[in-house]
Amino acid sequence: MRRTTSATLDQFSAPAAGMVADGTGTAGAGAPASSGVAGPELRTEFPFVLPRGYVDSAGVVHRDGVMRLATARDELVPLRDDRVRENPAYLTVVLLGRVVTRLGSHTDIHAGVIEDLFAADLAFLQDLYRRVNQEGHTRAGVNCPECGHAFAVDLAGGRLGES
């Protein structure tokens, strides 16, 4: 099941920190009333399915998860992390640990969890992060190699038959 959050951009002229701080992706009770002008929907959470899956300490594989939009704080705080200072490549691990909000039934996602992902899953999440934070969606345009027909696919993954 996909969760999206709808709101007009006018509602987010107030501080947006509360919008993501509660992890629900909603504007919260402090959002000002809408001006009545419908704007584009703001989507703050993006469900995904990992190619391999996270294997927890009990040996359970978790493939589905949720990533939220990154805030400026999400990109700045890891720069003060000692692990990132010693090895800048660790920035990806710390950053993904902040924006991935759920993996299977696990909601306490941190750098240690991201470290335990398979390389294919880490690469998948890096690509997903770039897409949702730079392009605002997880779709990519592709062309059929047979007929050349252009269409869009959702790279966040999903089960067969879901759209």
Side-chain angles (χ1 to χ4, degrees):
M1 181 170 96
R2 294 181 177 219
R3 289 179 34 188
T4 58
T5 302
S6 302
T8 63
L9 291 177
D10 293 341
Q11 291 174 310
F12 295 107
S13 60
M19 180 179 68
V20 288
D22 65 2
T24 64
T26 58
S34 174
S35 63
V37 177
E41 291 185 5
L42 177 62
R43 186 175 176 191
T44 60
E45 293 183 336
F46 298 84
F48 60 81
V49 178
L50 293 174
R52 302 261 186 244
Y54 167 67
V55 182
D56 66 17
S57 60
V60 177
V61 178
H62 304 275
R63 292 191 61 213
D64 64 308
V66 175
M67 177 184 289
R68 65 171 172 78
L69 281 178
T71 63
R73 179 179 304 237
D74 291 325
E75 295 199 348
L76 293 172
V77 167
L79 298 175
R80 294 188 299 229
D81 189 297
D82 289 338
R83 298 168 293 187
V84 174
R85 287 183 184 171
E86 291 177 16
N87 181 2
Y90 204 79
L91 174 63
T92 298
V93 172
V94 175
L95 186 55
L96 289 175
R98 293 180 60 90
V99 297
V100 174
T101 60
R102 185 179 61 79
L103 272 176
S105 59
H106 294 268
T107 56
D108 182 23
I109 308 301
H110 49 77
V113 172
I114 302 299
E115 284 178 331
D116 289 341
L117 291 174
F118 292 108
D121 293 332
L122 181 64
F124 171 83
L125 289 176
Q126 287 176 304
D127 184 57
L128 182 65
Y129 179 89
R130 183 188 59 76
R131 287 185 183 281
V132 302
N133 287 290
Q134 291 179 359
E135 299 171 11
H137 59 81
T138 58
R139 296 179 309 276
V142 296
N143 291 331
C144 172
E146 295 290 324
C147 67
H149 176 72
F151 58 97
V153 294
D154 189 347
L155 298 178
R159 294 179 175 87
L160 292 175
E162 289 184 354
S163 57

